[in-house]
Amino acid sequence: MTPFDHPEFDDHEQVVFVRDAEAGLFGIIALHDTTLGPAAGGCRMHPYATHEEALRDVLRLSRGMTLKNAAAGLPLGGGKCVIVADPARPDKERLLEAMGRHVQSLGGRYWTAIDVGVSPRDADVIARACDYVFCKASEYPDGFDPSKFTAWGGFVAIKATLRRLFGDESPAGRRIAVQGLGGVGRELCRLLREAGAELAVADVNEPALRPVVEGLGAEAVDPARIHAAPADVFAPCALGGVLNDRTIPELGARAVCGLANNQLEAPRHAEALRARGVLYAPDFIANAGGVIGASAPIWGGPDRAAAMRRIEGIGQTLDAIFARAEAEGLTTEEVAERMAAERIAAARAARNAA
C-alpha cells in the first residue's frame, strides 16, 4: 500500500518517509495543506507497532492540524511528523536531531513543535539542526510550560460546553471525567478544580495519577472505564480513537470535550454521538489553544498574555458551532470542518484571483 491508497490519505500535498540509519531514525513527515501558510504541527514520538500504524497516525494528525489552524484563524497550514521510537530510549536526542535535519530540508514549508513524547526541551534539541521549530522551552521564562496554552483552551471549551448544556458555564459543582494526566491533562484538572469542579480521573501511569488524586482530591477510575464514569463532561486527554463503537454506547457523560487529537475513531462516530444525545465539542477546536499560543514566532503573533486572551475565542467559536449544528441538523464535527474548509476555500479563491 502506498500513501495514495491509504484510507486516511486526504489529498495531502507531501508525505515524506525519513530514514537515518546512523541515528536509528524511522519517521514520517506529512504536509496536508499549505493554502493558508506554512504547515505547522508537532512532532510525535511513539513506539508504533507497525509503520502502517505510524502512517495512519501522521495522515490523520496532519489533516487535523489543517482544520485546527484554519478554524482558529491562523495564517498556517497543517502538518505533522512522527518518530517511530519509545521516547524513553537513551539516544532520544540523536533521533530528534536527525528528524530536525529532515524538517530543515523542507525549507520552511513545515514548522514542527511538541507533541506526545516530545517536550519543549526536546523541541530545543530539534532546533540544534533546524530553524523551523516552535514551542521551544527556550522561548519561555523559567517555570512556564507552553502546555498551559492547550489546557487553558480546554478549560474555555469546557465552559462553553457547560453553557450549552445548562445555560451556565461555571464548572462549580459539575463532574468532569478526565482521561490522561500528562502535562496538559494535569493542568486542565488544576484549572477545573480551582473553579469548583468535581474530578474523576484515569491514567495508565500510576506516577501521573497520584499527584492529581492526592493533590486535587480527584477520584481515581479504572482507565478502561473512565469513558463510562457518570459525569457532566468526559474530557479525553490521551491518545486518539477513544470515541468508537464500543465506548460511545457506554458513555456516562452528557457531553465530550477534551484535548486529545482525533478522538473520533471514524467520521461516522460524530453521528453516533448525536444520535445518543451527547454534545460533542470537536477536538480540533477544543485543543487549539496550544497552537494559537505557541505558534506566534512563525507569524509574528501576540505576546504570551495577549495569546492567552486570544485563546478565549475558542468559547465563541464553539458557541457558533453548537448553534449552527442545531439549526442545520448537522453534527458539530461537520459544522466545524465546514467552517475550516470555507476559510481555506476563500483564501484559495483570493489567491487565484490575484
Side-chain angles (χ1 to χ4, degrees):
M1 176 183 290
T2 71
F4 300 112
D5 305 317
H6 198 283
E8 298 295 344
F9 183 79
D10 183 54
D11 290 331
H12 284 70
E13 293 180 6
Q14 192 171 7
V15 180
V16 182
F17 290 79
V18 300
R19 171 69 172 139
D20 186 314
E22 185 176 349
L25 172 70
F26 287 93
I28 311 173
I29 305 170
L31 281 63
H32 179 253
D33 190 287
T34 59
T35 301
L36 296 175
C43 174
R44 174 170 295 191
M45 185 180 290
H46 184 70
Y48 296 98
T50 66
H51 291 164
E52 192 283 328
E53 183 183 324
L55 176 61
R56 178 178 186 273
D57 206 26
V58 79
L59 291 176
R60 295 193 73 194
L61 290 167
S62 56
R63 177 179 182 273
M65 288 306 304
T66 294
L67 297 173
K68 183 185 303 188
N69 292 337
L74 297 173
L76 299 171
K80 207 80 171 184
C81 68
V82 297
I83 297 173
V84 183
D86 185 339
R89 58 189 282 177
D91 61 345
K92 181 179 184 179
E93 291 195 3
R94 286 211 313 169
L95 297 179
L96 293 170
E97 289 186 17
M99 178 57 84
R101 289 191 289 273
H102 286 284
V103 173
Q104 180 73 14
S105 73
L106 296 175
R109 279 174 47 79
Y110 167 59
W111 285 67
T112 196
I114 66 173
D115 200 273
V116 175
V118 177
S119 70
R121 292 188 180 279
D122 293 329
D124 275 300
V125 174
I126 298 174
R128 295 174 189 167
C130 182
D131 299 318
Y132 308 107
V133 186
F134 65 104
C135 208
K136 304 187 295 287
S138 58
E139 295 172 2
Y140 303 100
D142 288 345
F144 181 80
D145 186 336
S147 65
K148 291 184 178 180
F149 289 133
T150 307
W152 178 246
F155 180 67
V156 169
I158 287 175
K159 290 200 297 180
T161 302
L162 293 173
R163 186 163 60 242
R164 185 70 181 182
L165 283 177
F166 303 110
D168 179 0
E169 69 175 26
S170 174
R174 303 298 181 189
R175 183 173 169 84
I176 315 296
V178 181
Q179 177 192 48
L181 300 173
V184 171
R186 286 195 307 274
E187 177 65 10
L188 178 63
C189 285
R190 185 188 68 80
L191 292 168
L192 288 167
R193 189 72 188 94
E194 285 186 355
E198 298 176 6
L199 298 173
V201 299
D203 196 291
V204 295
N205 183 2
E206 177 65 27
L209 180 68
R210 191 178 305 114
V212 178
V213 172
E214 296 177 356
L216 299 178
E219 175 191 349
V221 177
D222 180 353
R225 301 298 300 165
I226 183 66
H227 64 279
D232 294 299
V233 178
F234 171 46
C237 298
L239 296 176
V242 68
L243 300 172
N244 52 51
D245 292 336
R246 178 183 66 84
T247 60
I248 289 174
E250 298 177 342
L251 284 174
R254 297 180 57 181
V256 177
C257 180
L259 298 173
N261 288 308
N262 296 326
Q263 294 167 27
L264 301 172
E265 188 173 72
R268 62 186 172 81
H269 291 120
E271 178 57 38
L273 288 168
R274 187 171 78 119
R276 197 167 184 274
V278 176
L279 180 64
Y280 175 57
D283 52 50
F284 64 87
I285 303 295
N287 64 22
V291 71
I292 292 171
S295 65
I298 304 176
W299 51 280
D303 60 23
R304 180 158 55 98
M308 295 296 270
R309 293 192 296 272
R310 180 169 181 157
I311 290 167
E312 293 178 9
I314 289 173
Q316 286 71 54
T317 300
L318 282 174
D319 288 341
I321 289 169
F322 293 150
R324 182 173 167 183
E326 182 177 6
E328 299 181 13
L330 300 171
T331 68
T332 54
E333 180 77 6
E334 287 175 303
V335 169
E337 291 196 12
R338 287 187 184 188
M339 289 173 61
E342 287 163 3
R343 181 163 185 263
I344 293 170
R348 187 174 291 126
R351 183 181 63 192
N352 292 339

